[in-house]
Amino acid sequence: MRNTSDFTTLAITSILPVDLNIFILKMELDIVSMAQIVGDNKTAESFLKAAQARKAAIDSVFWNEENGQWLDYWISNGTSSQECQRWKASNQNNNTFASNFVPIWIDLFNSDTCIVEKVRKSFQSSGLLGAAGIATSLTRSGEQWDFPNGWAPLQHMIVEGLGKSGSHEAKSMAQDIAMRWINTNYVAYKETGAMHEKYNVEKCGDIGGGGEYIPQTGFGWSNGVVLAFLEEFGWPADLKIGCNGVML
């Protein structure tokens, strides 16, 4: 939305999103890998070409050197998405979102030491990391996609990207985020008997809220991300689990 408090300003077709393009890039690269395994060289070459073009576009359209983040890009008002565009720095959305850091999930980015260090420093000063994980944004709109809600997939992609890098500092940050997320999931589970779709990253053990429906329990990606974090990092024997150092 151009106005985050007004649903009538929805402008989905007027913005190029960082995260969606990263998901498509990951799919293109996965198709290349699978096609090579089965010997389908024509498909592999086609999707490799597409992935290379998308990577170049992500670098040129989304990357902001000053911010150390990838920023969503607004297509100018009144311009068709099929028309040629001249890139303008002013069209980058300078609001801070967790999705600005999703590209670090991809090996093409997390293998670049210089990029990793810039992204790590940017994330560290972004204000997104709370006591219980990464907030989706810094905007308090009351909607489920905004502060203080944290969602499991965003935690997973950022942690996995930082963890796969060659930076000791980035790996340490990844583990710290994972511990915060495991802890809040555990505390909430002990208190409510359920895993939840989202969590309030401001407060340990507090479930998320907002949105257009009753928050759901279950919950597939929350379960999966906690299991992935435990498999990757375990739980340090010298680290208490619980809120404010209180064992549960």
Side-chain angles (χ1 to χ4, degrees), residues 83-218:
E83 295 179 27
C84 291
Q85 302 280 321
R86 182 177 293 277
W87 187 89
K88 297 178 182 178
S90 60
N91 283 5
Q92 286 191 321
N93 184 349
N94 278 281
N95 292 330
T96 300
F97 304 104
S99 57
N100 294 0
F101 298 94
V102 163
I104 206 67
W105 179 48
I106 303 291
D107 290 347
L108 290 173
F109 298 106
N110 63 47
S111 61
D112 186 325
T113 304
C114 183
I115 289 291
V116 169
E117 185 59 15
K118 289 176 181 176
V119 169
R120 182 189 68 80
K121 290 180 178 178
S122 178
F123 179 78
Q124 195 167 39
S125 62
S126 68
L128 289 169
L129 183 58
I134 304 168
T136 307
S137 80
L138 298 181
T139 303
R140 289 183 180 272
S141 68
E143 297 295 345
Q144 64 175 348
W145 50 77
D146 278 324
F147 193 90
N149 287 322
W151 295 79
L154 284 167
Q155 319 294 317
H156 189 220
M157 287 182 283
I158 294 173
V159 166
E160 188 171 85
L162 292 171
K164 289 169 69 176
S165 74
S167 163
H168 173 75
E169 291 84 358
K171 289 176 181 291
S172 178
M173 176 180 284
Q175 183 172 12
D176 175 57
I177 297 167
M179 296 303 100
R180 297 180 194 216
W181 190 252
I182 293 170
N183 191 54
T184 201
N185 277 254
Y186 175 81
V187 172
Y189 178 80
K190 294 292 284 187
E191 291 180 352
T192 67
M195 298 291 284
H196 298 267
E197 66 174 8
K198 56 184 180 286
Y199 295 85
N200 174 3
V201 303
E202 282 192 299
K203 183 181 178 183
C204 170
D206 195 22
I207 63 174
E212 309 306 312
Y213 59 87
I214 298 172
Q216 301 295 296
T217 59

Side-chain angles (χ1 to χ4, degrees), residues 1-20:
M1 298 178 289
R2 291 189 180 275
N3 178 345
T4 57
S5 63
D6 183 357
F7 275 105
T8 67
T9 66
L10 280 169
I12 296 168
T13 59
S14 296
I15 194 166
L16 304 177
V18 170
D19 52 358
L20 175 59

